[in-house]
Amino acid sequence: MAENTTENESVTLFREYLRIPSVQPNVNYSDSVKFFKGQAEKLGLPIKVHYMSPNTPIVVITLSGKQPELPSVLLSSHMDVVPVYPKCWKHDPFSAYKDETGNIYARGAQDMKCVSIQYIETIKKYLQEKLNFKRTIHLCFTPDEETGSLFGIRKFIKTSEFAEMNIGFVLDEGKATPNEVFNVFYGERTIWGLTITCTGTTGHGSILYESTAGEKLQYIINKFMNWREREKTRLRNTNLEPGDVTSVNLTKINGGCQFNVLPPEISVSFDIRLAVEEDPKEMEEVVKSWCIEAGEGVSVEFKKDPIRVPPTKICDNNLWWAAFKRECNNMKLKINPCIFTGATDSRFIRNVGIPALGFSPMNHTTPLAHDHNEFLNENIFIKGLDIYYNIIKALASV
Ligand code: ZN
């Protein structure tokens, strides 16, 4: 059994970190901070903990470069994980159970405690080999990514401490792929949400009244579902990937009180992720026109402040991208640059003009982030250490 054989030290550390239950909501990060303080001490590197609120620390460990005046490299990872349904798990999600094939089961195994430990272990290796690079490398461990980073990176990027780090480039999380290819995310779609409220004639449910809320709701839903269908067709008939099109989903309907009473009001909500080329301002006008067409008493409320972020440039003029790609080519890794379907902390980083790539070295792995029985195989984790070793070295030498 795997438990009896000697385990790779990095895997042991990974499992130790997985056993810290930093689960949303209301995470207590004190054990996570303690863990990183211990790691920094072992590495002999300075650590800073910046509290963005009393319970949301940003932890930064720094390896100084030979030319600290140059823009630095930031290796970012979040400490929090999403909740679990314990009954749906084969093994306790916070035990980091390893089966005989080397699969390590735990919440956070893929998203993204693996990456945090791989960063640390890579730095450890550089220190053991007495390697010293041109640029400073910062490791940053953030809170509350899974709940929108309101009291984490979003606040941190506005501080003088962040400015002083003089960051030139950021590596952050990606996603597992079931095949050989590694996805590298250079952009994210715009998160856009809205609720439309339709008011209408009330009265007895047996009469064919004009201008009912239901008729107006039908008009609105059709508009959105037609849009959804167009995007599905685009995805089916082209070589576009899920991150390249807009996703439109009806997520909530509210209204009505009884079967035989016409409701005075029905509301419907949509979760929309706009493709990078779509302008939310323009779409706002389109949706407003649909509301007018639907009839009297139809109004829309948009989720405020959609953040439309330009993607990081993936051309050879971007020296960071060039270095990343060159190392992947040298290792003969098959990479697929693409747009993330979900959202990560990278969007806040890119939004302040810093290039960022989302990359987690997990190929041949079923994507199970946020799912039951999330696991990562120890061999994939170990291979990831070599991949980071080369990539981070190259980035710190740009
Ligand atoms: Zn994540």
Side-chain angles (χ1 to χ4, degrees):
M1 287 290 283
E3 292 290 344
N4 298 329
T5 59
T6 323
E7 187 174 69
N8 176 300
E9 279 177 23
S10 304
V11 172
T12 307
L13 188 68
F14 176 37
R15 293 175 71 195
E16 187 188 322
Y17 184 45
L18 287 171
R19 291 186 192 113
I20 300 173
S22 49
V23 196
Q24 290 290 357
N26 307 317
V27 184
N28 179 346
Y29 291 103
S30 54
D31 285 344
S32 311
V33 171
K34 212 168 109 190
F35 176 86
F36 289 116
K37 280 187 172 164
Q39 293 308 308
E41 197 178 322
K42 278 187 199 152
L43 295 171
L45 293 178
I47 182 168
K48 282 183 183 160
V49 185
H50 310 284
Y51 284 88
M52 297 298 109
S53 83
N55 300 317
T56 54
I58 297 258
V59 180
V60 180
I61 298 177
T62 301
L63 172 66
S64 291
K66 281 185 282 193
Q67 290 174 254
E69 67 283 2
L70 289 178
S72 63
V73 174
L74 179 74
L75 307 175
S76 182
S77 61
H78 60 83
M79 299 183 280
D80 58 330
V81 297
V82 293
V84 289
Y85 292 94
K87 281 187 189 141
C88 303
W89 284 65
K90 283 194 263 185
H91 309 288
D92 172 358
F94 298 98
S95 68
Y97 176 84
K98 184 166 81 174
D99 72 12
E100 62 283 0
T101 64
N103 290 338
I104 298 164
Y105 288 85
R107 175 56 88 222
Q110 293 186 15
D111 183 13
M112 61 174 300
K113 290 185 169 177
C114 49
V115 171
S116 307
I117 300 303
Q118 284 167 324
Y119 288 159
I120 287 191
E121 292 298 279
T122 301
I123 299 298
K124 190 183 282 173
K125 204 150 182 227
Y126 296 154
L127 290 168
Q128 282 163 356
E129 295 176 1
K130 299 195 167 40
L131 290 179
N132 196 359
F133 309 115
K134 209 156 84 175
R135 293 176 191 266
T136 293
I137 302 171
H138 297 288
L139 277 65
C140 176
F141 306 97
T142 65
D144 81 338
E145 192 275 344
E146 297 292 4
T147 52
S149 305
L150 281 169
F151 303 98
I153 201 86
R154 285 171 91 153
K155 273 197 158 181
F156 188 52
I157 52 175
K158 293 181 184 138
T159 62
S160 58
E161 286 89 350
F162 181 83
E164 279 162 23
M165 286 162 73
N166 186 23
I167 294 158
F169 176 79
V170 175
L171 260 193
D172 199 349
E173 67 187 309
K175 219 161 66 177
T177 46
N179 50 28
E180 200 189 343
V181 178
F182 294 90
N183 284 334
V184 184
F185 300 98
Y186 64 94
E188 293 180 10
R189 301 182 298 178
T190 311
I191 302 177
W192 202 52
L194 53 92
T195 297
I196 293 178
T197 303
C198 304
T199 60
T201 314
T202 56
H204 201 286
S206 63
I207 310 293
L208 291 173
Y209 286 111
E210 293 295 336
S211 191
T212 59
E215 291 168 301
K216 294 169 195 173
L217 179 74
Q218 181 194 17
Y219 186 89
I220 291 294
I221 290 179
N222 285 348
K223 285 289 180 190
F224 281 90
M225 287 303 168
N226 290 343
W227 182 12
R228 189 174 194 271
E229 207 47 47
R230 285 196 298 277
E231 295 299 310
K232 276 173 77 179
T233 307
R234 239 153 55 84
L235 194 55
R236 231 182 356 249
N237 299 345
T238 58
N239 52 12
L240 292 176
E241 295 189 46
D244 296 329
V245 299
T246 296
S247 60
V248 180
N249 280 303
L250 194 166
T251 49
K252 254 168 87 177
I253 294 185
N254 285 318
C257 64
Q258 190 174 298
F259 160 73
N260 58 358
V261 179
L262 293 182
E265 191 177 299
I266 309 178
S267 69
V268 57
S269 302
F270 294 93
D271 175 344
I272 298 163
R273 311 295 169 106
L274 291 170
V276 289
E277 67 276 9
E278 294 272 19
D279 182 350
K281 284 276 159 277
E282 278 173 26
M283 281 317 300
E284 245 186 66
E285 293 311 311
V286 173
V287 170
K288 282 180 191 164
S289 74
W290 292 347
C291 291
I292 293 168
E293 290 162 26
E296 289 243 324
V298 177
S299 58
V300 55
E301 199 185 314
F302 297 100
K303 232 179 116 180
K304 62 175 183 186
D305 297 338
I307 310 173
R308 188 189 186 196
V309 184
T312 292
K313 290 196 170 67
I314 47 166
C315 55
D316 290 342
N317 295 340
N318 176 357
L319 297 177
W320 304 103
W321 167 253
F324 184 94
K325 197 177 77 174
R326 191 185 58 237
E327 285 311 313
C328 291
N329 288 344
N330 288 346
M331 290 183 275
K332 298 193 166 51
L333 303 186
K334 285 191 185 149
I335 58 167
N336 173 40
C338 52
I339 300 290
F340 212 99
T341 47
T344 71
D345 277 344
S346 290
R347 69 189 188 280
F348 306 116
I349 302 278
R350 290 191 191 106
N351 203 32
V352 291
I354 300 171
L357 293 176
F359 173 71
S360 299
M362 301 184 289
N363 64 348
H364 298 297
T365 299
T366 312
L368 288 170
H370 300 203
D371 207 339
H372 311 314
N373 296 310
E374 179 180 354
F375 72 84
L376 183 63
N377 188 276
E378 63 177 343
N379 294 322
I380 297 288
F381 174 85
I382 293 166
K383 274 186 199 155
L385 294 170
D386 294 331
I387 295 171
Y388 273 130
Y389 179 89
N390 291 323
I391 288 176
I392 296 168
K393 190 174 162 183
L395 291 170
S397 311
V398 162

